Amino acid sequence: MWFAFLTTLLVTANALVWPEPDSYTPNGPVSLCSSFTFVQTGAKNDLLERAFARYTNLIFGDASRTGAPGCVLKQLSVSIGSQSLDLSVTTDESYSLQIADPSAATLTAANVFGALRGLETFSQLVYGNNSTGFTIATATITDAPRFQWRGLLIDSARHYLSVSTIMKLLDTMSYSKLNVLHWHLVDAESFPLQVEGYPGLSGAGAYNATSIYTSLEIQSVVKAGLDRGIRVIPEIDMPGHSDSWGAGYPWAVADCPSYSSNINNVPLKPSAKLFQMIQAILNQLDSSFSDAYVHLGGDEVVYQCWLEDPEVVTFMKNNNLASGNDLYKYLISLIRGMATKNNKSVLYWQEVFMSGASLPSDAIVQVWKDEATLLSVAKAGVNGILSNGWYLYQTPDWDWQDFYNNEPFSSSAWTEGEKKKVLGGEVCAWGEYVNDYNFEQVLWPRTAAAAERLWSQQSVTDLTSAKSRLTDFVCLLNKRGVHVGPIGPNNCAL
């Protein structure tokens, strides 16, 4: 009796999928055979084969497997409707996982990216070890994300983040079904991006010669992201937060002694030379990043700095720009035109929307202030994503509940049409106090709490259930080598 009770506890504990699926019907435990394998039906997809290898290792490890006596489940058959590797904001990530009949366990999805989400769910249903054998809590699951944009911002300008740290992050993001890595590459503190034709940008603007990202390194991150169903979107914050540009090219930034004691106050100085440089930077991004979107920043520009620089004032007069805001909108439009030459759509911080600048229909506004601002963006017919309430900084893990409860539509003022303009949201891991050594502890498990808010239905709000499942998920992260602290007393059997 005690063994049966213990088995029930183990099944319950290991069947707590994160994030919570749309529809979940448990069917009871069955054992996995030592020869268990993933099998594709139909045409072979190489990305899916690489995913099979990853999940085989995640579930079973490198050691030889031991099948439980009387093993039942020998394989999971995976079927996808399309071989397309097009990953975008409209990609269908839904899947159906059927393990009700263990002799015919199936995972079906419209494409490989939905299959990736299903494989993650499958992996979370398996428990055991190579000594005692593996068991799966069988279930019938139908699942799809609530929001199409489920992102995480990392900041490699305040502290350089190694490529290995970013690669490991992509794995961890996939465990909670996040699908956008927003890479804030450049800011006032450093310029770690190599740009062809402008060696001084990273040569003088990076912290040192080893704190620079080459095009090949970026491409390797983008490829790893695609393999995990994660879009990698770069941000070059313009025209503010630009002091690092001036380290190698002093003519690129405004000269304002009254404001420059704070490097975050220093914006770009408009000129023909600067515009050529910006086009080169955008061309560099285009050759390294494959996503249709590029984030062009636009936040926290100090107009007074511009007005203190005589060359900027002359530029404004020559272009009939009467105010700092006029110059700001002029630059936003000009730089967006450069991005458009590379067939890129644009994201901005909310300041661009609030300035009154015109925005194309496919533009996305990222809101850091509050839900009311997000609502105003939606009311204007503009696409938006929410980051307010999901800023990590360096605070204790006990506030995962705040991240979990951060509902984008908490106000009753939203119409259904306005809700459709909200594509999702992003957690922001600004880098002032984050580097390679505390990166995982700062990000997790709070980022996972936000991930469930963005994936699961709005009605999924029970904190008691969430705490139980998140506790289990933290143990899973620990088992997979992610250095994340617990959310309360427990013992992870690793």
Side-chain angles (χ1 to χ4, degrees), residues 187-188 237-247 252-253 263-264 266-268:
D187 212 289
D237 198 359
M238 297 180 278
H241 287 268
S242 303
D243 191 66
S244 63
W245 301 45
V253 297
I263 60 173
N264 292 299
V266 180
L268 297 172

Side-chain angles (χ1 to χ4, degrees), residues 385-398:
I385 58 175
L386 181 67
S387 285
N388 172 258
W390 288 322
Y391 270 41
L392 288 160
Y393 289 110
Q394 195 178 25
T395 52
D397 279 338
W398 51 257

Side-chain angles (χ1 to χ4, degrees), residues 156-160 185-195 198-213 241-250 253 263:
S156 60
R158 273 55 180 258
H159 280 94
Y160 175 82
L185 272 163
V186 172
D187 212 289
E189 289 80 2
S190 75
F191 199 111
L193 174 68
Q194 266 189 357
V195 177
Y198 292 89
L201 284 171
S202 59
Y207 285 121
N208 53 60
T210 62
S211 299
I212 293 171
Y213 301 107
H241 287 268
S242 303
D243 191 66
S244 63
W245 301 45
Y249 302 96
V253 297
I263 60 173

